């Protein structure tokens, strides 16, 4: 694996490193790449989440905590200089297999450092049943990108104030708070300094290195600007049902085992047929839900019988990890009607 090293040590805003992943996937030859990075206090929302429902925006503004969005799915995470972020870029299109390989690989290196770590659930790495790393993935043509947190140390008070997960999410994990389900490497007994931990992780995973040059940095900064676009940051998609539309809006929100937090906004036209749909939550995208699900339900009368028939034209398992027709049908017929 090839380690990507930056020609500077001072931290950048988090979108710079997300842009660095995209740059590596688009501009470097097909190979496995890895890099580690740290940022000043930042909340990172998943691609499909509604920011104002997951983050205490006022607290973050007051505390000077940056709030950004990534292209991968999953839930909100908090990062600061006590938290390492890892990025892994691999050739191919089998994103779920790549993601499993990545989390297994990182957990194995933690075990080599004497910690009883394992990859579990949809996207976590845990030590003694408590989360030390949350991970996510996305896909670009011919490339798979996986990335995640690694808590060396953390301030539970700040994390709990900044991120406000729903009660349904906490109940699905049988916990009462963010802090009760999170640990860190220091608390778990790791005796290495932060610098030695990072060095050992890179040395264990990588056998080559590329030092980025000034031209590379400029190219990354150009990609970085896309992450500050309000349309991306605040999910103002053209397919989202709009409150100003002359239609009836229906909403659902809950937790689906194997999928995660899942919310639907559905607009109905004057004849009671589906005109628009949009999903939000901490699920993982495999493909475009608009193509695989929503466009195929457009025009369907919003009745149980019609939905049961129309659902067989959809392919939710290809769009959202863990979602199948049965679960989607249950949501539409049991929760909404």
């Amino acid at each position: 694996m090839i380690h990507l090293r930056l020609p500077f040590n001072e931290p950048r805003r988090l979108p710079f490193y997300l842009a660095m992943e995209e740059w590596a996937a688009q501009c470097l030859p097909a190979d496995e790449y890895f890099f580690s990075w740290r940022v000043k206090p930042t909340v990172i929302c998943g691609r499909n989440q509604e920011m104002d429902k997951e983050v205490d925006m006022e607290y973050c503004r007051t505390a000077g905590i940056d709030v950004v969005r990534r292209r991968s799915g999953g839930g909100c995470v908090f990062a600061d200089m006590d938290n390492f972020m890892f990025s892994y870029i691999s050739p191919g299109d089998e994103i779920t297999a790549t993601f499993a390989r990545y989390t297994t690989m990182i957990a194995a290196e933690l075990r080599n450092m004497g910690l009883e770590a394992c990859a579990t659930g949809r996207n976590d790495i845990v030590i003694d049943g408590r989360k030390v790393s949350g991970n996510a993935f996305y896909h670009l043509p011919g490339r798979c990108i996986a990335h995640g947190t690694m808590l060396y140390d953390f301030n539970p008070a700040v994390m709990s104030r900044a991120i406000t997960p729903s009660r349904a999410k906490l109940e699905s994990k049988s916990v009462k708070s963010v802090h009760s389900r999170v640990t860190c490497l220091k608390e778990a007994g790791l005796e290495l300094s932060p610098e030695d931990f990072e060095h050992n992780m890179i040395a264990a995973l990588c056998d080559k290195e590329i030092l980025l040059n000034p031209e590379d940095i400029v190219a990354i900064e150009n990609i970085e600007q896309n992450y500050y676009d309000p349309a991306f940051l605040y999910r103002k998609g053209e397919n989202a049902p709009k409150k100003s539309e002359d239609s009836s809006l229906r909403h659902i929100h809950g937790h689906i085992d194997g999928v995660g937090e899942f919310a639907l906004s559905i607009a109905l036209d004057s004849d009671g047929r589906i005109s628009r749909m949009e999903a939000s939550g901490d699920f993982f995208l495999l493909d475009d839900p608009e193509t695989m699900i929503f466009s195929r339900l457009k025009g369907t009368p919003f009745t149980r019988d019609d939905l049961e028939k129309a659902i067989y034209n959809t392919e939710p398992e290809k769009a959202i990890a863990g979602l199948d027709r049965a679960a989607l049908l249950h949501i539409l017929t049991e929760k909404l009607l």
Side-chain angles (χ1 to χ4, degrees), residues 225-245:
Q225 298 311 306
N226 297 327
Y227 286 88
Y228 304 121
D229 182 346
F232 173 76
L233 189 58
Y234 300 110
R235 294 185 76 244
K236 296 179 179 179
E238 61 181 19
N239 294 316
K242 299 173 176 58
K243 292 181 180 179
S244 61
E245 290 181 317

Side-chain angles (χ1 to χ4, degrees), residues 27-318:
C27 301
L28 295 180
D31 210 324
E32 290 183 297
Y33 300 96
F34 178 85
F35 62 96
S36 173
W37 40 286
R38 288 191 278 178
V39 294
K40 293 179 180 180
T42 305
V43 170
I44 315 101
C45 287
R47 173 177 175 174
N48 313 299
Q49 291 187 298
E50 296 184 55
M51 190 176 288
D52 58 344
K53 294 182 180 179
E54 301 289 339
V55 183
D56 187 332
M57 299 295 291
E58 181 59 32
Y59 172 76
C60 288
R61 280 191 290 268
T62 302
I65 298 171
D66 204 2
V67 181
V68 300
R69 186 182 299 280
R70 61 182 187 269
R71 298 200 182 281
S72 59
C76 281
V77 294
F78 175 81
D80 60 14
M81 295 300 289
D82 286 329
N83 174 79
F84 289 96
M85 308 289 287
F86 296 150
S87 293
Y88 172 64
I89 302 96
S90 175
D93 297 306
E94 297 296 327
I95 185 61
T96 53
T98 298
F99 185 58
R101 183 167 71 250
Y102 166 75
T103 55
T104 300
M105 174 177 65
I106 297 299
E109 293 306 326
L110 292 180
R111 290 196 298 273
N112 289 338
M113 296 180 188
L115 303 174
E116 292 299 319
C118 64
T120 186
R122 294 187 308 138
N123 63 323
D124 294 346
I125 296 173
V126 303
I127 298 174
D128 294 329
R130 296 172 69 191
K131 179 177 178 177
V132 72
S133 170
N135 303 277
F137 62 82
Y138 67 105
H139 174 256
L140 295 175
R143 298 291 187 275
C144 298
I145 297 174
H147 48 203
T149 62
M150 183 59 66
L151 286 173
Y152 181 86
D153 199 357
F154 74 109
N155 184 329
V158 173
M159 181 183 293
S160 297
R161 283 292 304 277
I163 300 175
T164 55
S166 71
R167 181 177 300 275
K169 182 169 185 176
L170 293 174
E171 288 177 350
S172 74
K173 298 178 181 293
S174 299
V175 294
K176 296 182 179 180
S177 69
V178 175
H179 182 208
S180 66
R181 63 179 294 260
V182 174
T183 188
C184 62
L185 299 177
K186 186 176 180 180
E187 188 177 82
L190 183 71
E191 297 181 355
L192 295 173
S193 68
E195 294 74 20
D196 286 343
F197 166 74
E198 182 179 32
H199 173 79
N200 287 6
M201 184 65 75
I202 293 170
L205 297 175
C206 302
D207 55 4
K208 299 177 184 178
E209 182 176 271
I210 293 176
L211 176 64
L212 275 59
N213 60 44
E215 291 76 18
D216 299 331
I217 302 304
V218 171
I220 293 169
E221 289 172 339
N222 289 335
I223 298 172
E224 178 186 4
Q225 298 311 306
N226 297 327
Y227 286 88
Y228 304 121
D229 182 346
F232 173 76
L233 189 58
Y234 300 110
R235 294 185 76 244
K236 296 179 179 179
E238 61 181 19
N239 294 316
K242 299 173 176 58
K243 292 181 180 179
S244 61
E245 290 181 317
D246 292 327
S247 59
S248 174
L249 287 174
R250 303 293 180 89
H251 302 280
I252 177 178
H253 180 268
H255 183 89
I256 304 174
D257 290 343
V259 177
E261 291 288 287
F262 193 82
L264 277 175
S265 294
I266 302 174
L268 304 181
D269 63 21
S270 58
D271 294 326
R273 296 173 181 269
I274 295 173
S275 60
R276 291 178 185 240
M277 298 180 70
E278 185 183 55
S280 62
D282 65 358
F283 50 83
F284 292 115
L285 287 181
L286 303 175
D287 208 324
D288 180 23
E290 178 65 26
T291 301
M292 298 294 179
I293 305 173
F294 305 149
S295 64
R296 302 182 188 186
L297 292 177
K298 186 176 181 179
T300 301
F302 201 67
T303 68
R304 184 184 302 273
D305 290 344
D306 288 299
L307 287 169
E308 287 179 349
K309 295 174 184 176
I311 206 75
Y312 291 98
N313 294 322
T314 68
E315 297 178 278
E317 71 285 351
K318 293 184 178 180

